[in-house]
Amino acid sequence: MAVSHKVDYSKTRQRMVDEQIASRGVTDIRVLNAMNKVPRHLFVEEALHGQAYNDYPLPIGEKQTISQPYMVALMTEALELKGDERVLEIGTGSGYQAAILAELAEWVYSIERIRSLANKARKILFELHCYNIEIRVSDGTHGWKENAPFQAITVTAGAPEIPQTLLDQLAMGGRLVVPVGNAFSQTLVRFIRTKGGFKRENMGGCHFVKLIGKYGWQEE
Ligand code: SAM
């Protein structure tokens, strides 16, 4: 199926950026422009297109979600991308955040543990001509050693503790953003790799589906 452009959502998307993202303090103009450009509705099933720009996550199948637009923007801004980075995303899901990252960095490596989601994401990203993204199906808690180090790493599922494997794959000065906590609520944490170790900053509360894998939660 070709990409459908039946409804023009550009005004709805601009409203999402103004009322949900800029108004809450996201100021990086490159992030705001990317959020304004990527057609979020195409990453959810057609019956949900009308809700794609609302202020909440949506189901994408396999009991997983596409994150709330503001959360995508907040996490992306915290990565401080300038355009020449190699970025690692753990949790491709719908592929939406990968598309945003691809607007802002040189290359995006994204890992998803559920094959059907990875396949759907690959298809829509190809149809949208996002060619600077590589998606792998595996347990992302191991990171992607062959392509490390990364200037930025984002984990879009909640971890019980900070995966050391991912910290190890950060470049000097690199940023890791990861939700850490229990199954019901987490704190969004940013780590910056410095010469002396890692600087840690708490960015506030959040709620994500579980990061399942060797260095995450056990499969149920
Ligand atoms: N970034 C996604 C998007 O833009 O649609 C949203 C991701 S969704 C909130 C979290 C995703 O993380 C799910 O698709 C889930 O299957 C995936 N996931 C959970 N544990 C994982 C792991 N160990 N490795 C890779 N993906 C994982």
Side-chain angles (χ1 to χ4, degrees):
M1 187 190 72
V3 171
S4 151
H5 292 290
K6 275 184 277 190
V7 182
D8 181 4
Y9 283 103
S10 53
K11 287 204 174 75
T12 318
R13 196 155 49 241
Q14 177 72 63
R15 243 193 339 267
M16 170 191 83
V17 171
D18 294 345
E19 294 173 7
Q20 300 170 35
I21 299 173
S23 68
R24 285 187 177 124
V26 173
T27 56
D28 184 333
I29 190 67
R30 296 182 72 240
V31 174
L32 297 176
N33 287 344
M35 299 289 298
N36 211 348
K37 179 175 170 192
V38 175
R40 179 173 163 93
H41 62 284
L42 298 180
F43 293 83
V44 296
E45 63 181 87
E46 199 157 356
L48 296 175
H49 279 190
Q51 293 183 62
Y53 298 97
N54 293 354
D55 193 14
Y56 45 75
L58 287 172
I60 54 171
E62 307 281 1
K63 299 191 191 140
Q64 305 302 323
T65 53
I66 177 174
S67 305
Q68 177 198 27
Y70 168 65
M71 194 48 69
V72 174
L74 180 71
M75 293 175 80
T76 303
E77 181 174 62
L79 297 176
E80 294 182 0
L81 302 173
K82 301 288 179 265
D84 59 355
E85 299 87 354
R86 281 205 316 277
V87 181
L88 175 65
E89 178 193 37
I90 312 300
T92 313
S94 67
Y96 174 66
Q97 182 147 14
I100 298 286
L101 296 170
E103 287 289 320
L104 301 170
E106 188 172 289
W107 196 267
V108 179
Y109 296 94
S110 186
I111 307 179
E112 172 55 54
R113 61 184 284 275
I114 301 175
R115 184 170 300 277
S116 61
L117 294 180
N119 286 342
K120 256 196 258 177
R122 281 193 188 110
K123 185 165 182 291
I124 185 64
L125 291 167
F126 182 78
E127 287 172 0
L128 291 173
H129 309 293
C130 297
Y131 300 133
N132 57 338
I133 304 173
E134 186 175 349
I135 296 174
R136 166 199 256 194
V137 178
S138 69
D139 172 5
T141 65
H142 293 277
W144 197 326
K145 224 172 174 178
E146 307 89 288
N147 296 309
F150 302 96
Q151 286 76 38
I153 302 179
T154 183
V155 182
T156 66
E161 49 198 53
I162 319 295
Q164 182 62 41
T165 41
L166 300 182
L167 287 174
D168 291 344
Q169 292 180 24
L170 259 193
M172 188 55 62
R175 286 81 54 200
L176 164 68
V177 176
V178 53
V180 184
N182 61 37
F184 309 103
S185 81
Q186 303 97 32
T187 302
L188 196 59
V189 183
R190 178 166 84 155
F191 290 88
I192 302 178
R193 186 169 211 154
T194 65
K195 284 197 183 115
F198 293 94
K199 184 173 148 210
R200 176 186 171 135
E201 298 162 353
N202 288 354
M203 295 176 58
C206 57
H207 174 71
F208 278 83
V209 294
K210 284 181 179 175
L211 179 74
I212 295 173
K214 178 146 188 226
Y215 304 108
W217 295 95
Q218 305 248 307
E219 198 150 357
E220 278 150 13

